[in-house]
Amino acid sequence: MGAQLRVYKRRIRAITATKKITKAMEMIAASRIVKAQRKVAASMPYATELTRAVTAVATGSNTKHALTTEVETPTRAAVLLITSDRGLAGGYSSNAIKQAERLTERLRAEGKDVDTYIVGRKGLAYYGFRERKVADSWTGFTDSPAYADAKRVAGPLIEAIQTETAEGGVDELHIVYTEFVSMMTQNPVDGRMLPLSLEKAEEETGAKGEILPLFDFEPSAEDVLDALLPRYVESRIYNALLQSAASEHAARRRAMKSATDNAGDLIKSLSRLANAARQAEITQEISEIVGGASAMADATAGSDK
């Protein structure tokens, strides 16, 4: 019985140590969510106004450009998948990967070849384990992305959209990330970044139905679009990275809170078992003492006779 009590105590100590770790991770994730939310809010006005500017240039000119002009028969698409570098975040990365898989199946059903670009070690490990080809990947910044990281990711994608498909380029550029809705809700979403849908852009910026002013473009509308193209892609990727980071922290906080609560419940259960084992051990010792005393008393009474 004493050995069983030692086992319970050892397990309680181990789970208590784990509970301290999960509690600390929960508090760290909670503190980082607030910072990530602020960054998301700060990036939204820039992204909205940039999209509005692109819409104004596209509607105010007849210039054909990769930013706004759809290919009649697209044959190749690029998909940027944003996952996390670290685990212990519940289903955050797996949900984003599933969304990317659904998007890839849909694009292939439309007759398009798909080039996959990945942000985050979890997505890279998923594709690497299945020996799937990845066009390019980036790691090491998913929990706290900077604009420089977005520029680094955007570079190969912009080059791919500006290159002819016969030379390895793509006709469309899609992105898969996790949208931060609230502390309890984060939704994996996908969207087409390029070519830009003017109708959807007007809905996003709240300019649907507005009469846009007339512009003169210097030196030309095409040059303006060339200048706006990298800024637009970078801002969209940066906003997606920030929303994904906020979602990752929220998912990790929720997962660590669940782990901490489960550890507390398990400690209570083991404590009850340990108490029961200790009580049984004490009862057995008392019984042995009483039995021994009774035997000695009987022996003494027999010798007196």
Side-chain angles (χ1 to χ4, degrees), residues 2-181:
Q4 188 67 31
L5 182 60
R6 286 194 296 272
V7 169
Y8 288 141
K9 288 184 175 181
R10 187 164 56 247
R11 290 191 63 190
I12 289 172
R13 285 195 298 269
I15 295 170
T16 301
T18 303
K19 182 181 177 182
K20 291 179 181 179
I21 295 172
T22 57
K23 184 63 177 178
M25 294 182 68
E26 176 191 345
M27 295 176 68
I28 292 171
S31 67
R32 289 179 175 176
I33 292 172
V34 178
K35 296 178 182 178
Q37 283 181 290
R38 289 174 181 168
K39 289 183 177 180
V40 171
S43 71
M44 289 301 293
Y46 178 79
T48 300
E49 290 305 318
L50 188 56
T51 304
R52 188 188 294 268
V54 172
T55 304
V57 177
T59 56
S61 68
N62 295 322
T63 303
K64 290 186 177 181
H65 194 275
L67 184 60
T68 57
T69 305
E70 295 192 28
V71 178
E72 290 185 5
T73 309
T75 59
R76 198 172 192 86
V79 174
L80 174 63
L81 168 62
I82 299 177
T83 62
S84 67
D85 285 323
R86 297 184 296 129
L88 300 178
Y92 164 76
S93 291
S94 61
N95 290 337
I97 291 171
K98 290 176 183 177
Q99 187 72 20
E101 293 280 70
R102 288 191 290 266
L103 173 61
T104 300
E105 290 177 4
R106 188 167 72 244
L107 292 173
R108 286 175 177 163
E110 295 172 359
K112 302 170 187 173
D113 294 327
V114 178
D115 292 340
T116 304
Y117 296 77
I118 296 177
V119 173
R121 291 189 178 93
K122 290 299 178 181
L124 191 60
Y126 176 88
Y127 278 76
F129 180 77
R130 287 158 181 77
E131 298 182 350
R132 297 183 185 177
K133 184 179 178 181
V134 175
D136 207 343
S137 62
W138 304 266
T139 59
F141 55 82
T142 59
D143 59 346
S144 183
Y147 193 81
D149 299 318
K151 290 184 68 174
R152 189 152 53 93
V153 174
L157 296 171
I158 294 171
E159 183 179 352
I161 198 70
Q162 291 177 325
T163 305
E164 296 293 333
T165 53
E167 300 175 2
V170 298
D171 299 316
E172 296 178 354
L173 177 56
H174 298 258
I175 186 169
V176 179
Y177 65 99
T178 306
E179 181 184 27
F180 182 84
V181 180

